[in-house]
Amino acid sequence: MTSKIAPPEDFHAYPDARGRFGPYGGVYVAETLMAPLEALAETYLRLRDDPQFRAELDRDLAHYVGRPSPIYHAERLSAEVGGAQILLKREDLNHTGAHKINNTVGQALVARRMGKTRIIAETGAGQHGVASATVAARLGLKCVVYMGAVDIERQAINVYRMKLLGAEVVPVTSGSKTLKDALNEALRDWVTNVADTFYIIGTVAGPHPYPMMVRDFNAIVGREARAQMLAQYGRLPDAITACVGGGSNAIGLFHAFLNDRRVRIVGAEAAGEGLATGRHAASLAAGRPGVLHGNRTYVICDDNGQIGETHSISAGLDYPGVGPEHAFLKDTGRAEYVGVSDDEALAAFHRLARTEGILAALESSHAVAQAIKLAREYPKDAIVLCNLSGRGDKDVHTIAQREGITL
Amino acid sequence: MNRIDQRFAELKAAGRTGLIPFVTAGDPSPEGVVPLLHALVAAGADLIELGVPFSDPMADGPVIQHAGERALAKGVGLDAILAWVRAFRATDMATPVVLMGYLNPIEVHGYERFAREAAQAGVDGVLLVDCPLEEADTGAAIRAAGLCRIQLAAPTTSAARLERLCGAAEGFLYYVSFAGITGAARLSVAEIESRVGAIRARAQAPVAVGFGVRDAASAAAIAAFADAVVIGSALVQRLAGSADAAETCARAQAFLAPIRGALDARAAHAA
Ligand SMILES: Cc1ncc(COP(=O)(O)O)c(C=O)c1O
């Protein structure tokens, strides 16, 4: 594999004080947001080492989220594929049904420490919106969720869940009316209401300190999985994989393994209708370096630097950027990023449902499809660990519609 | 001396407040840009901010967002914009032009290539909305080519940052009058005055105030303590939907004339 950047000794030393992962990351925002971002970075770095904060977070993760989530040996799926053993890290079993809650529980505690009374969030699939509305309800904070008008349509169940939880869902009709536009709108809200508002970004994108903070809150996934591997199997997996939208569940799994050089790391991006068709959301596999939403990373844009419209069957992967740490992992060659198409993800969804009795989220189905491909490359005694980032209840309408079934 | 410094020196000598209109390049029409730039000057503009449209303008309100979307739909990009500035310069060597926009179009164009071409076209300064002082090495080529990097200061800017911003300011310092996006209307003149006073005490560079200035009254109120006022969304809104270049120019003239008048009346009164 070619690497554009020499891999560092210690991948855990990133980001630096300016939020840089090599040439990626940073703080590319309007002046008005510099002060709130500095305040957030300072508060977060202090809280990260505060034993009382850590204890509070651990308690919430155990008793509210339901951690640790198990690693599950998908024996029938593995046997059917006929290659390596596939293990699933069951983030779908978390409260609210995805890894997103790991991050919102953490950021909500930070928001409370900062005395903020209003939470805003952007959401694509609605999972992060639900996870934000959930923690806001629990802490008695007002919550406003920005969601692209296109996504509101394809994720109706999650929109209603957010409303049941007391959040206001604001449709975003600018640009492509999807996740990137929801992020723009949330940033505009934040710039206008910085005094009382905390912006919970739902993935490892955005300006520093978000990519670091969101990663830290999701890194529990990989820490648990690594310890569970050692305890239950006496060794580390041969390969690990996760789907990559903005990249939070992926970095959550990957981070603990970054310095274990023998563990192969593969991120599955949404190839939509195929990388060659241009209708995809594979920023790393098919994009180029650029600046979007406050950080330098790989983006999907045209020759004039205009951000392109993306396509994926899964709203949560439909994003033209990606977390800057993934850009760094790609360029150092530490991780590979490949495309998984809509059709491949759907096939994996059905296969997992029928062999294991698990309905995976469409996002996570991309990871399952990639795990199946990887398993075929290895012998039966090898282990491929796949992050099952969320459950598929929210997607049953999309899948039924796609298959011509009226519910 | 570059055109921006020259212009502010002239304004100071004449005791006048600068008028800086902002227009989105290519809106309402790509053909009308060059005549519009001349019309802005004829209506009393001292410096022109030309917005480079971007698909994801996170600091802009709906008016400038939509103007950018319309321009992008007509295929407007940096090559065209630099050609318009070159055409404008053929007959106007005096009025400074500042390009205002976001990083990604320039990043993809290439910083060095952009800086060279912009300087050759007659651009005088560049304001990169999403590139704060901390990331100033991004686009270092822009300064190296002799273009001013215009910095923003905001109500949320801390005293320590303000100190650094004032030290780094080139051309002029753009004070964002309230914490928000372009086009909102939340002017609190007393607050702005005290902040601008603090900036002027520290900065060598002149201070222009923008965001929320929309008419003669608000411009005159700001002119009492600022070196220049920037008018963006209200002008862009006024120009939107005009039938042809002639109408766009007439609308610009009609919109700016009373503002220019109010600024000059204040200056005459003060003198
Ligand atoms: C279940 C699930 N997995 C993955 C994602 C993609 O986000 P990320 O790449 O940040 O994990 C989402 C986003 O909504 C999601 O709901």
Side-chain angles (χ1 to χ4, degrees):
Chain A
M1 199 188 321
T2 55
S3 58
K4 286 204 246 170
I5 304 173
E9 201 67 30
D10 177 14
F11 277 97
H12 291 165
Y14 294 82
D16 68 13
R18 299 168 64 193
R20 299 278 184 99
F21 302 88
Y24 300 107
V27 191
Y28 294 93
V29 296
E31 175 61 28
T32 315
L33 284 179
M34 289 305 294
L37 286 168
E38 279 173 4
L40 176 60
E42 194 199 317
T43 307
Y44 172 65
L45 287 174
R46 189 161 40 73
L47 290 177
R48 188 163 77 164
D49 301 323
D50 174 351
Q52 202 191 332
F53 179 83
R54 289 237 56 97
E56 222 175 315
L57 178 61
D58 289 345
R59 204 163 48 236
D60 281 0
L61 289 173
H63 301 288
Y64 191 66
V65 176
R67 302 207 70 89
S69 69
I71 49 173
Y72 166 73
H73 183 189
E75 283 182 73
R76 278 192 7 102
L77 174 65
S78 307
E80 201 184 277
V81 173
Q85 301 309 303
I86 297 172
L87 302 188
L88 303 174
K89 177 63 172 165
R90 298 291 309 273
E91 291 301 295
D92 60 315
L93 297 178
N94 294 339
H95 179 43
T96 72
H99 69 290
K100 298 282 181 188
I101 191 97
N102 300 323
N103 170 44
T104 59
V105 158
Q107 287 201 52
L109 290 179
V110 178
R112 191 166 67 177
R113 292 289 187 108
M114 293 181 83
K116 304 291 183 184
T117 54
R118 181 173 175 269
I119 295 289
I120 58 170
E122 85 294 337
T123 198
Q127 284 304 111
H128 173 60
V130 167
S132 297
T134 297
V135 296
R138 177 159 174 264
L139 298 185
L141 304 171
K142 189 173 158 30
C143 181
V144 176
V145 179
Y146 290 93
M147 189 166 184
V150 168
D151 293 337
I152 285 186
E153 202 151 303
R154 54 181 169 174
Q155 301 288 341
I157 293 176
N158 271 344
V159 174
Y160 186 53
R161 284 170 81 196
M162 287 183 261
K163 289 182 180 165
L164 289 173
L165 291 161
E168 181 192 344
V169 181
V170 180
V172 176
T173 54
S174 56
S176 60
K177 306 178 180 60
T178 59
L179 181 55
K180 82 174 174 76
D181 309 284
L183 221 150
N184 288 329
E185 212 50 43
L187 283 166
R188 292 181 188 121
D189 178 313
W190 198 31
V191 110
T192 308
N193 301 295
V194 282
D196 67 346
T197 297
F198 189 98
Y199 179 15
I200 302 190
I201 294 188
T203 191
V204 285
H208 179 68
Y210 283 101
M212 170 181 76
M213 178 169 69
V214 177
R215 174 200 69 195
D216 290 351
F217 287 136
N218 268 306
I220 179 117
V221 175
R223 274 202 310 277
E224 278 176 13
R226 194 174 182 283
Q228 287 164 326
M229 283 298 309
L230 294 173
Q232 295 168 33
Y233 296 86
R235 66 184 191 89
L236 295 180
D238 298 277
I240 61 177
T241 190
C243 65
V244 180
S248 66
N249 87 88
I251 206 71
L253 176 67
F254 298 169
H255 195 253
F257 295 95
L258 290 178
N259 288 332
D260 299 317
R261 307 295 163 119
R262 283 210 294 269
V263 176
R264 183 174 166 200
I265 300 179
V266 184
E269 290 190 298
E273 294 173 7
L275 294 184
T277 65
R279 288 181 54 76
H280 60 78
S283 320
L284 290 162
R288 56 170 141 194
V291 177
L292 178 66
H293 293 146
N295 66 91
R296 173 170 285 107
T297 185
Y298 277 76
V299 301
I300 293 174
C301 69
D302 66 16
D303 291 339
N304 284 317
Q306 306 300 339
I307 303 303
E309 300 210 354
T310 52
H311 170 84
S312 169
I313 190 175
S314 69
L317 302 183
D318 216 345
Y319 180 62
V322 64
E325 190 161 8
H326 288 292
F328 181 61
L329 295 179
K330 173 187 162 80
D331 279 10
T332 52
R334 179 64 189 98
E336 304 155 55
Y337 295 89
V338 297
V340 169
S341 71
D342 288 351
D343 289 341
E344 290 172 323
L346 268 175
F349 171 88
H350 286 298
R351 197 163 193 185
L352 186 68
R354 278 184 284 95
T355 55
E356 299 291 346
I358 297 172
L359 298 183
L362 279 174
E363 291 80 11
S364 321
S365 298
H366 287 70
V368 175
Q370 187 56 38
I372 291 170
K373 286 188 200 176
L374 283 169
R376 291 201 187 103
E377 294 180 26
Y378 290 88
K380 283 197 168 65
D381 61 353
I383 295 177
V384 172
L385 172 65
C386 169
N387 197 8
L388 199 70
S389 57
R391 68 178 83 127
D393 309 40
K394 69 183 175 60
D395 294 314
V396 293
H397 274 95
T398 306
I399 293 164
Q401 198 179 27
R402 170 114 176 178
E403 296 176 351
I405 296 159
T406 337
L407 298 180
Chain B
M1 195 189 279
N2 70 56
R3 266 186 287 259
I4 300 175
D5 293 343
Q6 176 79 37
R7 179 48 51 92
F8 275 100
E10 290 162 10
L11 286 168
K12 189 168 182 190
R16 298 173 76 216
T17 304
L19 175 59
I20 308 181
F22 167 98
V23 291
T24 296
D27 186 68
S29 80
E31 313 76 60
V33 172
V34 178
L36 173 60
L37 297 181
H38 288 300
L40 295 172
V41 175
D46 295 297
L47 185 154
I48 294 170
E49 270 185 24
L50 193 54
V52 178
F54 180 48
S55 53
D56 293 77
M58 62 184 181
D60 285 303
V63 169
I64 293 178
Q65 279 174 46
H66 292 142
E69 282 172 15
R70 287 190 297 266
L72 290 176
K74 291 173 186 155
V76 171
L78 275 174
D79 290 333
I81 294 169
L82 294 176
W84 293 328
V85 175
R86 207 175 300 118
F88 171 71
R89 276 280 168 262
T91 52
D92 187 328
M93 290 300 290
T95 310
V97 173
V98 169
L99 295 187
M100 178 163 179
Y102 296 80
L103 275 172
N104 204 54
I106 297 177
E107 169 117 357
V108 168
H109 196 82
Y111 289 102
E112 275 171 30
R113 180 180 154 212
F114 166 76
R116 189 176 60 244
E117 292 174 358
Q120 277 168 4
V123 171
D124 304 290
V126 179
L127 195 168
L128 297 169
V129 178
D130 53 353
C131 190
L133 202 52
E134 281 71 5
E135 307 289 356
D137 37 331
T138 300
I142 293 171
R143 287 195 66 202
L147 301 173
C148 293
R149 278 290 289 276
I150 310 298
Q151 304 285 350
L152 296 169
T156 50
T157 304
S158 68
R161 280 182 58 76
L162 199 55
E163 203 71 53
R164 273 183 286 145
L165 277 171
C166 289
E170 300 174 335
F172 63 95
L173 199 63
Y174 185 135
Y175 181 67
V176 174
S177 66
F178 56 84
I181 52 178
T182 54
R186 304 207 309 191
L187 284 189
S188 155
V189 173
E191 249 171 67
I192 302 168
E193 178 167 10
S194 88
R195 290 286 288 181
V196 170
I199 296 172
R200 290 184 72 184
R202 288 184 177 89
Q204 299 284 322
V207 180
V209 174
F211 279 44
V213 186
R214 46 186 49 251
D215 51 23
S218 50
I222 300 291
F225 49 82
D227 298 295
V229 295
V230 183
I231 302 200
S233 297
L235 172 60
V236 170
Q237 177 133 47
R238 186 68 168 265
L239 303 183
S242 41
D244 54 24
E247 189 183 336
T248 305
C249 293
R251 286 192 193 187
Q253 167 71 33
F255 180 79
L256 289 181
I259 297 170
R260 179 78 265 173
L263 294 179
D264 292 344
R266 213 205 58 80
H269 181 74

